[in-house]
């Protein structure tokens, strides 16, 4: 992280211009000797929908996890909604309030009901009164069409239902940006659509979204840009039509031929 990044005074918001929702520049990260992210530059505008794809191990999860500091980076700058990411705990919390995340394996608390899963961060982190938290939870559970399951436990729901709860839980915190890390890849095929439908609706409502996914149909219909990563680098980024119809890089072509099955 650059020295000026530790200075909140360098926040873009203070310049008066409306900042990009996410602005990543010169990002490098190592796990020990392993250089996992290499010179990543990525700007995401407000309301933009980005799909990130690439082979296993290319650094997709690491990249999006750096955005809310679930992973630390060693070089470069990450600015979320005008706020510079630093090591400062308050700053990290401040940024996390703007960023919702949905994981492959839902990560719901198994011992809490669906409703409580959606309330816990609201009451503990955001200090909202319980009644208000419940009303918000029900609003978003309604939105992902699962309000009727609010009193069940995660183990009593299908994978697709659990993932919709996880999306509702993230939305309860009213994020400006949603990060999705392969939200459908642990689901049985018949449940993928119900989760993608929720994500499509979210996109149509104008949510800024970064989705790591290999659902190329989703990428075609929803993404403003598709990003292809390999070996820690962004190899190619383009609007979906260009990306799928005329990829520039040989590596992208090879990946697409494998994933699209021809
Ligand atoms: N905590 C860690 N310590 C060391 N190496 C790690 C760690 N987490 C990930 N890696 C390595 O970093 C590389 C990138 O991992 P990452 O999970 O970001 O890849 P990915 O593109 O999301 O892959 P997948 O498609 O399989 O989810 C991989 O080689 C992985 O083994
Ligand atoms: Mg991953």
């Amino acid at each position: 992280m650059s020295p000026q990044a530790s200075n909140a005074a360098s926040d873009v918001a203070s310049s008066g211009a409306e900042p990009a929702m996410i602005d990543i520049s010169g990002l490098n990260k190592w796990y020990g000797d392993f250089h996992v992210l290499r010179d990543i530059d990525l700007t995401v505008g407000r309301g933009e929908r980005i799909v990130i794809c690439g082979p296993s191990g290319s650094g997709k999860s690491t990249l999006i996890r750096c955005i809310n500091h679930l992973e630390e980076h060693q070089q470069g700058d990450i600015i979320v909604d005008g706020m510079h990411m630093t090591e400062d705990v308050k700053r990290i919390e401040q940024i996390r309030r703007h960023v919702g995340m949905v994981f492959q394996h839902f990560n719901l608390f198994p011992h809490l009901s669906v409703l409580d899963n959606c309330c816990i961060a609201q009451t503990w982190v955001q200090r909202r009164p319980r009644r208000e938290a419940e009303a918000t939870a029900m609003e978003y559970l309604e939105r992902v069409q699962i309000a009727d399951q609010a009193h069940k436990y995660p183990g009593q729901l299908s994978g697709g239902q659990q993932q919709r709860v996880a999306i509702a839980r993230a939305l309860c915190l009213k994020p400006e940006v949603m990060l999705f890390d392969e939200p459908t890849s642990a689901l049985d095929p018949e449940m993928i659509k119900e989760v993608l439908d929720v994500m499509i609706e979210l996109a149509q409502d104008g949510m800024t979204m970064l989705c790591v996914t290999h659902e190329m149909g989703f990428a075609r219909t929803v993404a403003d840009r598709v990003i292809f990563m390999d070996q820690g680098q962004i190899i190619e980024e383009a609007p979906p039509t260009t990306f799928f119809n005329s990829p520039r890089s040989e590596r992208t072509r090879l990946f697409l031929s494998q994933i699209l099955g021809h």
Side-chain angles (χ1 to χ4, degrees):
M1 199 175 290
S2 67
Q4 73 268 27
S6 62
N7 181 0
S10 65
D11 285 355
V12 179
S14 58
S15 72
E18 188 173 39
M21 190 59 89
I22 297 172
D23 193 357
I24 298 174
S25 54
L27 178 66
N28 281 274
K29 174 173 174 60
W30 288 260
Y31 287 119
D33 291 338
F34 178 59
H35 197 172
V36 60
L37 294 177
R38 298 165 180 260
D39 301 321
I40 303 280
D41 294 318
L42 175 64
T43 304
V44 182
R46 282 161 199 279
E48 209 179 358
R49 282 82 45 118
I50 308 279
V51 161
I52 303 174
C53 60
S56 181
S58 56
K60 307 177 298 292
S61 297
T62 307
L63 172 60
I64 66 164
R65 290 166 65 86
C66 282
I67 295 170
N68 58 359
H69 208 72
L70 291 177
E71 296 288 349
E72 238 173 62
H73 63 283
Q74 285 81 39
Q75 271 179 19
D77 294 318
I78 299 176
I79 302 172
V80 180
D81 207 4
M83 294 176 290
H84 235 129
M85 178 67 81
T86 68
E87 292 301 317
D88 179 58
V89 176
K90 284 221 171 82
R91 173 49 55 104
I92 294 168
E93 278 174 9
Q94 197 179 10
I95 289 181
R96 283 189 184 157
R97 262 182 252 136
H98 290 240
V99 182
M101 182 140 185
V102 174
F103 303 87
Q104 181 179 11
H105 294 290
F106 331 136
N107 297 6
L108 298 171
F109 291 114
H111 61 291
L112 296 182
S113 70
V114 163
L115 183 63
D116 286 341
N117 264 283
C118 291
C119 287
I120 189 160
Q122 294 190 69
T123 51
W124 279 82
V125 182
Q126 300 195 323
R127 306 256 168 241
R128 288 187 199 154
R130 172 79 194 184
R131 189 174 298 186
E132 193 185 305
E134 275 187 16
T136 303
M138 290 311 292
E139 178 191 332
Y140 286 106
L141 288 170
E142 198 80 60
R143 186 147 157 206
V144 302
Q145 295 180 22
I146 205 151
D148 54 335
Q149 314 283 322
H151 296 287
K152 285 195 179 167
Y153 288 87
Q156 298 172 300
L157 302 182
S158 72
Q161 289 173 323
Q162 289 187 60
Q163 193 59 298
R164 285 188 280 141
V165 172
I167 294 172
R169 176 180 61 175
L171 293 174
C172 282
L173 303 177
K174 314 248 166 101
E176 304 278 338
V177 186
M178 285 284 285
L179 309 176
F180 292 89
D181 193 357
E182 303 210 38
T184 59
S185 58
L187 299 177
D188 291 338
E190 67 271 24
M191 290 168 198
I192 291 177
K193 187 178 176 299
E194 68 188 47
V195 172
L196 290 179
D197 283 347
V198 167
M199 292 169 65
I200 290 168
E201 215 171 279
L202 206 53
Q204 285 166 346
D205 286 350
M207 177 65 81
T208 309
M209 295 166 66
L210 262 89
C211 311
V212 176
T213 181
H214 291 154
E215 291 294 334
M216 292 297 129
F218 175 80
R220 278 180 200 275
T221 41
V222 170
D224 297 303
R225 263 187 296 157
V226 185
I227 287 177
F228 173 68
M229 286 184 71
D230 195 14
Q231 296 179 12
Q233 288 178 299
I234 293 180
I235 303 296
E236 185 151 356
E237 55 178 287
T241 322
T242 316
F243 184 83
F244 291 111
N245 297 347
S246 41
R248 276 182 293 108
S249 141
E250 188 50 46
R251 275 196 269 179
T252 313
R253 275 196 286 274
L254 179 64
F255 174 77
L256 285 175
S257 71
Q258 287 163 347
I259 203 166
L260 299 173
H262 50 77

